[in-house]
Amino acid sequence: MLGIGNETFQSRLLLGTAQYPSPAILKQAIEASRTQIITVSLRRQTPGNQDNYFWDLLKSLPCKLLPNTAGCATAQEAITTANMARELFDTNWIKLEVIGDDYTLQPNVFELVKAADELIQQGFEVLPYCTEDLVVCQELVECGCKVLMPWGAPIGSGRGLHNPYALALLRERFPDLTLIVDAGIGKPSHAAQAMELGFDAVLLNTAVARAHSPVKMANAFSLAVTSGRQGYEAGLIKASHCAQASTPLIDKPFWNLKVSKAE
């Protein structure tokens, strides 16, 4: 079970709601993914505007809404957006994003820590989108974050896990913390790899929304996340530089041995 705050979820796949061909396909993809948590940007959707159908669709889904502060570039902007989201969506959960570079969409970790510290004091359950940098993650934990969401690669790049070593180190250093790989996932195999590293969940959007068949891709990611988690829990064998026979050679029958002509 995936635990966040005081809630638990069976699904370990979180799904974004942007860039889908249509609201109908979005709904079908969410259902196929079996997700129980979906993210939504305050700037993407505001109840009462001309896009009310999208808002009504979100409310009709049996999923926890996780608003985010997408598009914010400073701590103060993110804090203001988070408070608006809390009032609008009636939740103290917030996916905290503070972007520092428009090309890579890499988080501004200095502003991120500042915003996380303030929002936690205001009673938010902060899920920060961060880099895989160990020191940054330590700062966020010291602020009070109980969930970390390090990127696999830049948002929407589909590059997968560009620093598996650093991600594995985070799992080792924070064994009791909920860790969710967020951003850069492009293939179901990328999601499975993250889960095999011991991560608690994966959040993705573009890989499903822009697929030729978002519904089929959503199902594929659901299966990959489940498979990767089961593999981790079962205990993966360690890689080896030399071969290890799966069939034991002890008690090998003597007639399989070569006999010299001299004998």
Side-chain angles (χ1 to χ4, degrees), residues 1-236:
M1 300 286 283
L2 172 65
I4 300 178
N6 59 356
E7 300 186 48
T8 57
F9 305 89
Q10 291 185 338
S11 175
R12 294 179 180 273
L13 176 62
L14 287 68
L15 204 62
T17 56
Q19 303 177 357
Y20 283 82
S22 70
I25 292 178
L26 167 62
K27 181 179 180 180
Q28 293 172 36
I30 290 173
E31 292 171 346
S33 74
R34 303 171 186 84
T35 185
Q36 294 173 288
I37 303 174
I38 54 176
T39 65
V40 58
S41 171
L42 184 65
R43 299 181 182 218
R44 165 69 177 85
Q45 174 58 40
T46 302
N49 71 5
Q50 61 183 357
D51 199 18
N52 259 359
Y53 178 74
F54 181 76
W55 169 240
D56 292 337
L57 171 63
L58 294 181
K59 290 193 298 182
S60 71
L61 296 170
C63 297
K64 175 82 174 183
L65 290 183
L66 174 59
N68 64 39
T69 61
C72 293
T74 66
Q76 188 54 57
E77 188 179 9
I79 292 168
T80 300
T81 302
N83 276 282
M84 292 173 61
R86 178 159 62 179
E87 181 177 349
L88 195 59
F89 297 107
D90 190 28
T91 178
N92 67 335
W93 282 28
I94 193 71
K95 179 190 172 190
L96 181 60
E97 299 182 28
V98 185
I99 302 302
D101 181 73
D102 291 336
Y103 182 73
T104 63
L105 299 181
Q106 180 170 328
N108 181 329
V109 296
F110 305 102
E111 294 292 294
L112 181 68
V113 172
K114 186 189 304 183
D117 184 46
E118 175 61 28
L119 289 172
I120 288 171
Q121 292 183 47
Q122 293 183 17
F124 281 88
E125 186 72 46
V126 176
L127 288 73
Y129 161 62
C130 57
T131 64
E132 74 280 27
D133 185 275
L134 176 61
V135 176
V136 171
C137 290
Q138 287 175 329
E139 290 289 329
L140 289 167
V141 171
E142 289 177 5
C143 286
C145 292
K146 299 176 182 177
V147 178
L148 296 179
M149 304 181 74
W151 67 350
I155 295 173
S157 67
R159 296 178 61 87
L161 310 185
H162 65 177
N163 196 345
Y165 164 76
L167 292 173
L169 182 60
L170 290 181
R171 179 72 289 170
E172 179 183 335
R173 295 293 291 272
F174 303 112
D176 301 321
L177 205 68
T178 298
L179 298 178
I180 302 173
V181 169
D182 176 20
I185 299 294
K187 305 175 183 177
S189 57
H190 295 159
Q193 182 186 9
M195 300 306 292
E196 289 171 354
L197 288 176
F199 275 70
D200 297 283
V202 168
L203 191 159
L204 54 94
N205 183 94
T206 306
V208 170
R210 293 188 179 180
H212 177 68
S213 174
V215 178
K216 286 185 177 180
M217 189 62 77
N219 182 57
F221 271 107
S222 176
L223 295 172
V225 167
T226 299
S227 176
R229 181 65 185 187
Q230 288 187 0
Y232 172 74
E233 292 177 344
L236 303 168

